PDB file of all heavy atoms in Angstrom:
ATOM      1  N   GLU A 306      61.654  20.109 -14.366  1.00  0.00           N
ATOM      2  CA  GLU A 306      61.127  18.952 -15.073  1.00  0.00           C
ATOM      3  C   GLU A 306      59.698  19.155 -15.570  1.00  0.00           C
ATOM      4  O   GLU A 306      59.132  18.277 -16.210  1.00  0.00           O
ATOM      5  CB  GLU A 306      61.170  17.702 -14.170  1.00  0.00           C
ATOM      6  CG  GLU A 306      62.568  17.177 -13.893  1.00  0.00           C
ATOM      7  CD  GLU A 306      63.257  17.996 -12.810  1.00  0.00           C
ATOM      8  OE1 GLU A 306      62.558  18.712 -12.083  1.00  0.00           O
ATOM      9  OE2 GLU A 306      64.492  17.911 -12.717  1.00  0.00           O
ATOM     10  N   THR A 307      59.079  20.304 -15.255  1.00  0.00           N
ATOM     11  CA  THR A 307      57.740  20.575 -15.767  1.00  0.00           C
ATOM     12  C   THR A 307      57.813  20.691 -17.282  1.00  0.00           C
ATOM     13  O   THR A 307      58.663  21.404 -17.813  1.00  0.00           O
ATOM     14  CB  THR A 307      57.191  21.887 -15.170  1.00  0.00           C
ATOM     15  OG1 THR A 307      57.180  21.769 -13.744  1.00  0.00           O
ATOM     16  CG2 THR A 307      55.767  22.139 -15.653  1.00  0.00           C
ATOM     17  N   PRO A 308      56.937  19.986 -18.027  1.00  0.00           N
ATOM     18  CA  PRO A 308      57.025  19.972 -19.490  1.00  0.00           C
ATOM     19  C   PRO A 308      56.969  21.368 -20.099  1.00  0.00           C
ATOM     20  O   PRO A 308      56.202  22.221 -19.658  1.00  0.00           O
ATOM     21  CB  PRO A 308      55.807  19.139 -19.914  1.00  0.00           C
ATOM     22  CG  PRO A 308      55.514  18.281 -18.733  1.00  0.00           C
ATOM     23  CD  PRO A 308      55.865  19.108 -17.531  1.00  0.00           C
ATOM     24  N   PHE A 309      57.767  21.594 -21.139  1.00  0.00           N
ATOM     25  CA  PHE A 309      57.796  22.884 -21.819  1.00  0.00           C
ATOM     26  C   PHE A 309      56.435  23.172 -22.462  1.00  0.00           C
ATOM     27  O   PHE A 309      55.823  22.303 -23.061  1.00  0.00           O
ATOM     28  CB  PHE A 309      58.878  22.884 -22.902  1.00  0.00           C
ATOM     29  CG  PHE A 309      58.952  24.173 -23.664  1.00  0.00           C
ATOM     30  CD1 PHE A 309      59.550  25.289 -23.104  1.00  0.00           C
ATOM     31  CD2 PHE A 309      58.406  24.266 -24.934  1.00  0.00           C
ATOM     32  CE1 PHE A 309      59.612  26.484 -23.794  1.00  0.00           C
ATOM     33  CE2 PHE A 309      58.464  25.455 -25.637  1.00  0.00           C
ATOM     34  CZ  PHE A 309      59.065  26.571 -25.073  1.00  0.00           C
ATOM     35  N   GLY A 310      55.979  24.422 -22.334  1.00  0.00           N
ATOM     36  CA  GLY A 310      54.701  24.806 -22.913  1.00  0.00           C
ATOM     37  C   GLY A 310      53.516  24.551 -22.021  1.00  0.00           C
ATOM     38  O   GLY A 310      52.371  24.769 -22.412  1.00  0.00           O
ATOM     39  N   SER A 311      53.757  24.074 -20.815  1.00  0.00           N
ATOM     40  CA  SER A 311      52.660  23.790 -19.892  1.00  0.00           C
ATOM     41  C   SER A 311      53.077  24.193 -18.482  1.00  0.00           C
ATOM     42  O   SER A 311      54.119  23.749 -18.007  1.00  0.00           O
ATOM     43  CB  SER A 311      52.331  22.307 -19.923  1.00  0.00           C
ATOM     44  OG  SER A 311      51.431  21.946 -18.908  1.00  0.00           O
ATOM     45  N   PRO A 312      52.332  25.041 -17.786  1.00  0.00           N
ATOM     46  CA  PRO A 312      51.061  25.660 -18.187  1.00  0.00           C
ATOM     47  C   PRO A 312      51.248  27.107 -18.648  1.00  0.00           C
ATOM     48  O   PRO A 312      51.008  28.050 -17.880  1.00  0.00           O
ATOM     49  CB  PRO A 312      50.252  25.603 -16.897  1.00  0.00           C
ATOM     50  CG  PRO A 312      51.322  25.792 -15.828  1.00  0.00           C
ATOM     51  CD  PRO A 312      52.623  25.285 -16.377  1.00  0.00           C
ATOM     52  N   ASN A 313      51.683  27.328 -19.862  1.00  0.00           N
ATOM     53  CA  ASN A 313      52.039  28.682 -20.293  1.00  0.00           C
ATOM     54  C   ASN A 313      50.846  29.592 -20.544  1.00  0.00           C
ATOM     55  O   ASN A 313      51.023  30.768 -20.839  1.00  0.00           O
ATOM     56  CB  ASN A 313      52.942  28.628 -21.536  1.00  0.00           C
ATOM     57  CG  ASN A 313      52.254  28.013 -22.734  1.00  0.00           C
ATOM     58  OD1 ASN A 313      51.151  27.474 -22.623  1.00  0.00           O
ATOM     59  ND2 ASN A 313      52.887  28.083 -23.882  1.00  0.00           N
ATOM     60  N   ARG A 314      49.608  29.083 -20.411  1.00  0.00           N
ATOM     61  CA  ARG A 314      48.426  29.931 -20.519  1.00  0.00           C
ATOM     62  C   ARG A 314      47.855  30.294 -19.149  1.00  0.00           C
ATOM     63  O   ARG A 314      46.802  30.919 -19.059  1.00  0.00           O
ATOM     64  CB  ARG A 314      47.345  29.244 -21.375  1.00  0.00           C
ATOM     65  CG  ARG A 314      47.735  29.067 -22.833  1.00  0.00           C
ATOM     66  CD  ARG A 314      46.555  28.633 -23.663  1.00  0.00           C
ATOM     67  NE  ARG A 314      45.511  29.666 -23.674  1.00  0.00           N
ATOM     68  CZ  ARG A 314      44.331  29.531 -24.262  1.00  0.00           C
ATOM     69  NH1 ARG A 314      44.028  28.381 -24.860  1.00  0.00           N
ATOM     70  NH2 ARG A 314      43.442  30.498 -24.230  1.00  0.00           N
ATOM     71  N   LEU A 315      48.558  29.898 -18.109  1.00  0.00           N
ATOM     72  CA  LEU A 315      48.079  30.173 -16.754  1.00  0.00           C
ATOM     73  C   LEU A 315      47.969  31.675 -16.524  1.00  0.00           C
ATOM     74  O   LEU A 315      48.938  32.415 -16.674  1.00  0.00           O
ATOM     75  CB  LEU A 315      49.034  29.554 -15.733  1.00  0.00           C
ATOM     76  CG  LEU A 315      48.589  29.604 -14.271  1.00  0.00           C
ATOM     77  CD1 LEU A 315      47.318  28.796 -14.070  1.00  0.00           C
ATOM     78  CD2 LEU A 315      49.693  29.083 -13.364  1.00  0.00           C
ATOM     79  N   TRP A 316      46.772  32.123 -16.147  1.00  0.00           N
ATOM     80  CA  TRP A 316      46.526  33.547 -15.948  1.00  0.00           C
ATOM     81  C   TRP A 316      46.387  33.899 -14.466  1.00  0.00           C
ATOM     82  O   TRP A 316      46.801  34.974 -14.048  1.00  0.00           O
ATOM     83  CB  TRP A 316      45.249  33.968 -16.683  1.00  0.00           C
ATOM     84  CG  TRP A 316      45.007  35.446 -16.625  1.00  0.00           C
ATOM     85  CD1 TRP A 316      45.530  36.388 -17.468  1.00  0.00           C
ATOM     86  CD2 TRP A 316      44.216  36.165 -15.666  1.00  0.00           C
ATOM     87  NE1 TRP A 316      45.103  37.652 -17.097  1.00  0.00           N
ATOM     88  CE2 TRP A 316      44.299  37.539 -15.993  1.00  0.00           C
ATOM     89  CE3 TRP A 316      43.441  35.775 -14.577  1.00  0.00           C
ATOM     90  CZ2 TRP A 316      43.633  38.514 -15.256  1.00  0.00           C
ATOM     91  CZ3 TRP A 316      42.789  36.761 -13.839  1.00  0.00           C
ATOM     92  CH2 TRP A 316      42.887  38.108 -14.185  1.00  0.00           C
ATOM     93  N   ARG A 317      45.823  32.987 -13.676  1.00  0.00           N
ATOM     94  CA  ARG A 317      45.599  33.284 -12.264  1.00  0.00           C
ATOM     95  C   ARG A 317      46.106  32.143 -11.398  1.00  0.00           C
ATOM     96  O   ARG A 317      45.800  30.972 -11.649  1.00  0.00           O
ATOM     97  CB  ARG A 317      44.109  33.503 -11.991  1.00  0.00           C
ATOM     98  CG  ARG A 317      43.789  33.880 -10.545  1.00  0.00           C
ATOM     99  CD  ARG A 317      42.295  34.116 -10.349  1.00  0.00           C
ATOM    100  NE  ARG A 317      41.994  34.623  -9.016  1.00  0.00           N
ATOM    101  CZ  ARG A 317      41.800  33.836  -7.946  1.00  0.00           C
ATOM    102  NH1 ARG A 317      41.848  32.519  -8.083  1.00  0.00           N
ATOM    103  NH2 ARG A 317      41.537  34.370  -6.770  1.00  0.00           N
ATOM    104  N   MET A 318      46.871  32.466 -10.361  1.00  0.00           N
ATOM    105  CA  MET A 318      47.349  31.473  -9.406  1.00  0.00           C
ATOM    106  C   MET A 318      47.156  32.008  -7.990  1.00  0.00           C
ATOM    107  O   MET A 318      47.539  33.136  -7.685  1.00  0.00           O
ATOM    108  CB  MET A 318      48.822  31.143  -9.636  1.00  0.00           C
ATOM    109  CG  MET A 318      49.336  30.041  -8.695  1.00  0.00           C
ATOM    110  SD  MET A 318      51.151  29.823  -8.739  1.00  0.00           S
ATOM    111  CE  MET A 318      51.413  29.419 -10.451  1.00  0.00           C
ATOM    112  N   ARG A 319      46.566  31.175  -7.149  1.00  0.00           N
ATOM    113  CA  ARG A 319      46.405  31.530  -5.741  1.00  0.00           C
ATOM    114  C   ARG A 319      46.951  30.391  -4.893  1.00  0.00           C
ATOM    115  O   ARG A 319      46.563  29.231  -5.081  1.00  0.00           O
ATOM    116  CB  ARG A 319      44.937  31.773  -5.392  1.00  0.00           C
ATOM    117  CG  ARG A 319      44.698  32.069  -3.914  1.00  0.00           C
ATOM    118  CD  ARG A 319      43.224  32.293  -3.624  1.00  0.00           C
ATOM    119  NE  ARG A 319      42.983  32.483  -2.196  1.00  0.00           N
ATOM    120  CZ  ARG A 319      42.741  31.480  -1.346  1.00  0.00           C
ATOM    121  NH1 ARG A 319      42.686  30.229  -1.792  1.00  0.00           N
ATOM    122  NH2 ARG A 319      42.542  31.729  -0.070  1.00  0.00           N
ATOM    123  N   VAL A 320      47.849  30.699  -3.971  1.00  0.00           N
ATOM    124  CA  VAL A 320      48.465  29.695  -3.113  1.00  0.00           C
ATOM    125  C   VAL A 320      48.352  30.167  -1.670  1.00  0.00           C
ATOM    126  O   VAL A 320      48.753  31.279  -1.340  1.00  0.00           O
ATOM    127  CB  VAL A 320      49.950  29.480  -3.475  1.00  0.00           C
ATOM    128  CG1 VAL A 320      50.538  28.349  -2.639  1.00  0.00           C
ATOM    129  CG2 VAL A 320      50.112  29.174  -4.960  1.00  0.00           C
ATOM    130  N   ALA A 321      47.815  29.317  -0.801  1.00  0.00           N
ATOM    131  CA  ALA A 321      47.624  29.713   0.599  1.00  0.00           C
ATOM    132  C   ALA A 321      47.815  28.524   1.532  1.00  0.00           C
ATOM    133  O   ALA A 321      47.439  27.393   1.204  1.00  0.00           O
ATOM    134  CB  ALA A 321      46.218  30.306   0.801  1.00  0.00           C
ATOM    135  N   ILE A 322      48.396  28.789   2.676  1.00  0.00           N
ATOM    136  CA  ILE A 322      48.519  27.812   3.768  1.00  0.00           C
ATOM    137  C   ILE A 322      49.136  26.501   3.280  1.00  0.00           C
ATOM    138  O   ILE A 322      48.633  25.412   3.529  1.00  0.00           O
ATOM    139  CB  ILE A 322      47.163  27.550   4.453  1.00  0.00           C
ATOM    140  CG1 ILE A 322      46.359  28.830   4.603  1.00  0.00           C
ATOM    141  CG2 ILE A 322      47.368  26.927   5.845  1.00  0.00           C
ATOM    142  CD1 ILE A 322      44.957  28.627   5.139  1.00  0.00           C
ATOM    143  N   CYS A 323      50.251  26.626   2.550  1.00  0.00           N
ATOM    144  CA  CYS A 323      51.023  25.451   2.133  1.00  0.00           C
ATOM    145  C   CYS A 323      52.321  25.476   2.940  1.00  0.00           C
ATOM    146  O   CYS A 323      53.292  26.141   2.546  1.00  0.00           O
ATOM    147  CB  CYS A 323      51.275  25.481   0.632  1.00  0.00           C
ATOM    148  SG  CYS A 323      49.775  25.286  -0.353  1.00  0.00           S
TER     149      CYS A 323
END
Side-chain angles (χ1 to χ4, degrees):
E306 290 79 17
T307 302
F309 179 77
S311 171
N313 63 351
R314 294 191 64 184
L315 187 63
W316 185 85
R317 182 179 187 274
M318 183 190 301
R319 177 180 176 271
V320 185
I322 320 174
C323 293

